[in-house]
């Protein structure tokens, strides 16, 4: 949930701070006061394009800072929450003690853009990833996106919930395997000669490696063995001297171990307690030297004497180095090449049996893909019918009773030739009205699209919760009863989401839980218009609503009308049982 928004140097806004609460918040104000700049600021926070033309005249930069309460998003989709937590960890973003995180976007007058998340510098794309599950801005441009087929399909899939999601995942699992098998078959049949030559080279390399049969780490072991064999005489002499000194087996010296042990016994026999620790240390030294003597004896016994073993080791090392010259910097690289070569060889096998086996795999996957695609289509048809019925009911409430939504799910093309990762379907939303069935992109006006978007959000909200929805003049092109209906639907949506709406209609603003006014000051014409944001309540709110009613804030009639409008909105909100 968005709890605070700070804007400086953006458009007509010099400095402004807006506090947002749960439920429905509306932004109102005179034309040119800067309501749109608030939405522009939210778009920047969501990773939108940085336009230096939006920087206030005379300012060197525009800064937008939003504080988000993640604890208030407990109803967020589990997958979205995991992605959000992963992003915060990835960017090393810091949360405040109250569980909030601050997102900041700065746009310089020179066009340079900077983004920060939780006090850390991040790419603008990271802000987009952060805001994706917590903030959605709907304006005229966003409504145009609703005209895209992929967005319409996503709306139907979202409404289908778990049934559609499971059907889509099952389809995609088969689709990826089918596509890979199709590509492999096309490659083997279309590039048979080239692949056959590649296979010959791979087999030759594998035969060469297999004939040597290298083992992991063998090079290091061979190098150590060759060094020992080359220096065996010197090693035997040094080890023999050390062993003789410790064990006394050279016949001329008294063993060091024996001498130390005798001295230890004399210290013990002396009977002075102060010598006991020393005697204990000597006992440990005797044991350690005894172990060393034993190990030296074993070393000498195992030290090779046969020089033929040296020739064999050097020949083995030569064979290994021949492999590393061709297939890698060391034996581990050579073994890795061999593993990859075997995998590639299975892919480029152009023998009749291999091609026939692959063709059978493609046929099997094709049948399975058609089956899974059919199941996905049926899930979408059911979801589309239910979505259309619910949105149509909402449109009736929004004074579009003569129109209904239709979700058409049809084959995207001829058979599997039109298969994509998203399915085999073409999903289209259309308005069924006096002019007949017309796709949204061809017959819907801006006001109609606004209401369709709102109706979709209300219906889709039944399957989701949390997050902030921003509507920029969703009431464009409507008035009267339709405006009251829009206000009521926004209040319904605010039961499950934080809703922020920019509106110019008093009928909509009357439903707000929090009413913010963007005001302008033209007292200093040399600096242009300066705008700020303030919350209004009680009599100030009545005055603002009266102003919105054709500038009637100075008349008793206008104030009475505004007061009546507020009372009607309160009654309507109590009927929808807004519960936060």
């Amino acid at each position: 949930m968005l709890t605070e928004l700070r804007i400086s140097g953006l458009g007509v806004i010099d400095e402004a701070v807006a506090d947002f609460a749960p439920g429905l918040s509306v932004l109102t104000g005179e034309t040119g006061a800067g309501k749109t700049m608030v939405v522009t600021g939210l778009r920047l926070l969501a990773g939108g394009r940085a336009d230096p033309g939006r920087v206030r005249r005379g300012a060197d930069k525009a800064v937008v800072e939003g504080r988000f309460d993640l604890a208030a998003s407990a109803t967020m989709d589990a997958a979205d929450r995991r992605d959000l937590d992963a992003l915060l960890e990835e960017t090393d973003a810091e949360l405040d003690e109250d569980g909030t995180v601050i997102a900041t976007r700065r746009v310089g007058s020179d066009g340079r853009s900077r983004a920060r998340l939780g006090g850390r510098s991040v790419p603008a794309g990271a802000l987009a990833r952060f805001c994706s599950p917590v903030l959605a801005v709907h304006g005229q441009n966003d409504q145009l996106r609703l005209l895209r087929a992929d967005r319409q399909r996503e709306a139907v899939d979202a409404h289908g919930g778990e049934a559609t999601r499971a059907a889509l995942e099952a389809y995609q699992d088969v689709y990826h395997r089918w596509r890979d098998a199709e590509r492999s078959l096309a490659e083997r049949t279309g590039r048979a000669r080239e692949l056959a030559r590649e296979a010959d080279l791979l087999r030759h390399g594998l035969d060469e490696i297999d004939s040597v049969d290298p083992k992991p780490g063998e090079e290091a072991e061979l190098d150590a063995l060759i060094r020992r064999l080359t220096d065996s005489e010197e090693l035997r002499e040094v080890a023999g001297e050390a062993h003789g000194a410790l064990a006394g087996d050279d016949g001329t010296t008294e063993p060091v171990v024996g001498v130390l042990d005798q001295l230890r016994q004399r210290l013990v026999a002396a009977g002075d307690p102060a010598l006991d620790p020393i005697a204990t240390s000597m006992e440990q030294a005797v044991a350690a030297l005894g172990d060393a003597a034993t190990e030296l004896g074993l070393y000498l016994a195992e030290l090779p004497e046969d020089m033929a073993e040296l020739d064999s080791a050097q020949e083995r090392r030569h064979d290994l180095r021949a492999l590393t010259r061709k297939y890698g910097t060391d034996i581990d690289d050579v073994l890795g090449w061999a593993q990859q070569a075997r995998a590639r060889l299975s892919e480029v096998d152009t023998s009749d049996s291999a091609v026939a086996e692959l063709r059978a795999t493609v046929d099997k996957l094709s049948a399975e893909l058609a089956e899974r695609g059919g199941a996905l289509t049926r899930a979408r048809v059911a979801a589309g019918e239910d979505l259309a019925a619910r949105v149509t009911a909402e449109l009736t409430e929004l004074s579009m009773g003569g129109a209904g939504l239709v979700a058409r799910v049809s084959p995207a093309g001829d058979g599997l030739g039109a298969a994509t990762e998203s399915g085999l379907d073409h999903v289209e939303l259309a308005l069924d009205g006096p002019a007949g069935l017309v796709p949204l992109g061809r017959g819907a006006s801006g006001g109609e699209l606004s209401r369709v978007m709102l109706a979709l959000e209300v219906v889709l909200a039944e399957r989701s919760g949390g997050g902030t929805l921003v509507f920029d003049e969703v009431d464009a092109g409507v008035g009267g009863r339709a405006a009251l209906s829009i206000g009521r639907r926004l209040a319904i949506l605010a039961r499950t989401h934080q809703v922020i709406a920019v509106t110019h209609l008093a009928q909509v603003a009357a439903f707000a839980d929090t009413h913010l006014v963007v005001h302008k000051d033209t007292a200093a014409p040399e600096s242009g218009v300066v705008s700020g944001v303030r919350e209004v309540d009680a009599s100030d709110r009545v005055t603002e609503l009266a102003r919105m009613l054709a500038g009637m804030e100075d008349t008793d009639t206008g104030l009475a009308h505004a007061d009546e409008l507020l009372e009607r909105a309160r009654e309507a909100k109590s009927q929808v049982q807004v519960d936060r």
Side-chain angles (χ1 to χ4, degrees):
M1 183 183 77
L2 178 67
T3 61
E4 183 182 78
L5 181 68
R6 292 178 176 269
I7 298 176
S8 64
L10 184 65
V12 297
I13 297 179
D14 183 27
E15 293 282 347
V17 180
D19 293 320
F20 294 98
L24 173 60
S25 299
V26 298
L27 284 161
T28 65
E30 298 179 16
T31 301
K35 299 187 298 295
T36 302
M37 288 300 101
V38 175
V39 178
T40 299
L42 291 172
R43 290 187 191 279
L44 284 173
L45 280 186
R49 187 178 68 89
D51 182 2
R54 296 289 191 180
V55 178
R56 180 174 171 77
R57 186 178 64 184
D60 61 348
K61 64 181 180 297
V63 179
V64 182
E65 180 181 284
R67 180 181 291 273
F68 293 87
D69 185 357
L70 301 184
S73 302
T75 55
M76 183 187 303
D77 179 80
D80 287 339
R81 184 68 205 211
R82 285 194 298 271
D83 292 343
L84 192 60
D85 290 340
L87 173 65
L88 294 175
E89 183 176 355
E90 172 187 326
T91 58
D92 200 23
E94 295 184 354
L95 273 65
D96 285 355
E97 293 181 356
D98 58 359
T100 62
V101 63
I102 297 176
T104 307
R105 186 78 182 276
R106 186 183 72 180
V107 180
S109 56
D110 57 359
R112 294 186 177 182
S113 171
R114 296 289 185 272
R116 296 179 70 84
L117 181 63
R120 307 295 184 183
S121 295
V122 296
L127 282 189
R129 288 173 55 196
F130 170 77
C131 287
S132 177
V134 299
L135 177 67
V137 182
H138 298 296
Q140 291 293 329
N141 290 334
D142 303 279
Q143 291 155 17
L144 293 176
R145 292 178 193 160
L146 184 62
L147 309 183
R148 288 168 37 184
D150 58 335
R151 292 303 178 99
Q152 295 178 13
R153 183 192 66 245
E154 289 169 3
V156 170
D157 287 354
H159 184 69
E162 177 61 25
T164 307
R165 185 194 64 78
L168 178 59
E169 289 182 354
Y171 167 86
Q172 289 176 336
D173 174 63
V174 178
Y175 172 78
H176 291 303
R177 289 186 284 127
W178 169 80
R179 184 186 58 184
D180 292 344
E182 278 268 329
R183 288 176 177 173
S184 181
L185 180 60
E187 183 182 35
R188 294 195 201 192
T189 55
R191 299 172 50 222
R193 289 186 179 180
E194 181 181 347
L195 293 179
R197 286 194 295 270
E198 182 183 354
D200 286 342
L201 290 174
L202 292 173
R203 291 191 189 95
H204 175 76
L206 289 172
D207 288 343
E208 195 171 4
I209 294 172
D210 290 343
S211 65
V212 176
D213 192 22
K215 300 296 186 295
E218 187 178 359
E219 282 177 304
E221 294 176 3
L222 272 176
D223 288 342
L225 176 61
I226 290 173
R227 282 195 300 271
R228 290 175 63 191
L229 288 169
T230 303
D231 303 331
S232 62
E233 291 301 323
E234 181 180 352
L235 293 173
R236 188 179 301 280
E237 180 180 352
V238 170
E241 289 179 2
H243 185 267
L246 293 175
D249 56 358
D250 59 357
T252 61
T253 60
E254 192 172 357
V256 172
V257 175
V259 171
L260 287 177
D261 191 46
Q262 291 175 9
L263 290 174
R264 178 191 65 80
Q265 293 175 17
R266 292 178 64 186
L267 289 176
V268 172
D272 187 347
L275 294 175
D276 289 345
I278 301 175
T280 300
S281 298
M282 292 183 67
E283 183 179 11
Q284 294 172 349
V286 168
L289 290 174
D291 290 342
T294 300
E295 292 174 2
L296 282 169
L298 294 174
Y299 176 81
L300 288 167
E302 295 175 356
L303 195 64
E305 299 180 359
D306 186 2
M307 289 299 102
E309 189 176 354
L310 175 62
D311 294 337
S312 176
Q314 290 176 332
E315 183 178 351
R316 178 66 177 174
R317 186 172 62 178
H318 177 270
D319 292 341
L320 294 179
R321 288 182 174 176
L323 295 180
T324 57
R325 282 196 297 269
K326 293 183 180 181
Y327 306 109
T329 57
D330 55 30
I331 290 302
D332 288 341
D333 279 351
V334 171
L335 293 173
W337 183 93
Q339 183 178 7
Q340 295 175 1
R342 288 188 175 89
R344 178 58 180 165
L345 192 59
S346 67
E347 296 173 357
V348 300
D349 188 354
T350 57
S351 64
D352 292 342
S353 60
V355 171
E357 182 180 351
L358 183 56
R359 197 183 303 278
T361 299
V362 170
D363 292 342
K364 179 182 177 182
L365 289 173
S366 296
E368 189 175 354
L369 186 66
E371 180 181 348
R372 297 286 177 87
L376 177 58
T377 298
R378 291 189 293 274
R380 281 176 172 159
V381 168
E385 290 175 350
D386 188 68
L387 177 66
R390 291 174 181 266
V391 171
T392 297
E394 290 294 328
L395 292 178
T396 300
E397 293 291 332
L398 295 172
S399 298
M400 288 181 62
L405 186 74
V406 176
R408 297 191 292 191
V409 181
S410 57
D414 185 16
L416 298 184
T420 66
E421 188 176 23
S422 59
L424 307 175
D425 313 310
H426 173 70
V427 180
E428 183 179 55
L429 299 180
L431 278 179
D432 188 7
L437 197 61
V438 181
L440 289 182
R442 297 186 214 160
S445 65
E448 288 173 329
L449 279 177
S450 296
R451 282 178 278 178
V452 171
M453 174 67 81
L454 176 57
L456 276 170
E457 288 289 3
V458 170
V459 173
L460 294 175
E462 297 174 3
R463 296 187 179 272
S464 65
T468 299
L469 300 175
V470 181
F471 292 95
D472 184 13
E473 298 195 4
V474 71
D475 50 16
V478 301
R481 291 177 58 86
L484 286 171
S485 297
I486 289 176
R488 186 171 184 272
R489 300 341 267 179
L490 288 173
I492 292 175
L493 193 56
R495 291 182 302 178
T496 53
H497 296 71
Q498 181 190 41
V499 179
I500 300 172
V502 177
T503 180
H504 64 281
L505 293 180
Q507 294 93 327
V508 174
F511 282 85
D513 301 300
T514 304
H515 190 153
L516 302 171
V517 177
V518 183
H519 57 88
K520 62 181 179 180
D521 180 10
T522 57
E526 69 279 359
S527 62
V529 176
V530 178
S531 291
V533 181
R534 63 185 176 90
E535 182 178 351
V536 294
D537 201 358
S539 61
D540 287 342
R541 187 178 183 194
V542 174
T543 301
E544 172 63 11
L545 292 178
R547 180 199 65 77
M548 298 174 71
L549 292 168
M552 300 172 65
E553 70 270 27
D554 295 329
T555 69
D556 292 339
T557 301
L559 294 173
H561 190 182
D563 197 46
E564 180 185 358
L565 191 59
L566 272 174
E567 184 58 33
R568 291 184 61 185
R570 291 190 192 101
E571 293 176 358
K573 286 168 64 178
S574 66
Q575 292 175 3
V576 299
Q577 298 177 346
V578 179
D579 182 14
R580 292 180 301 279

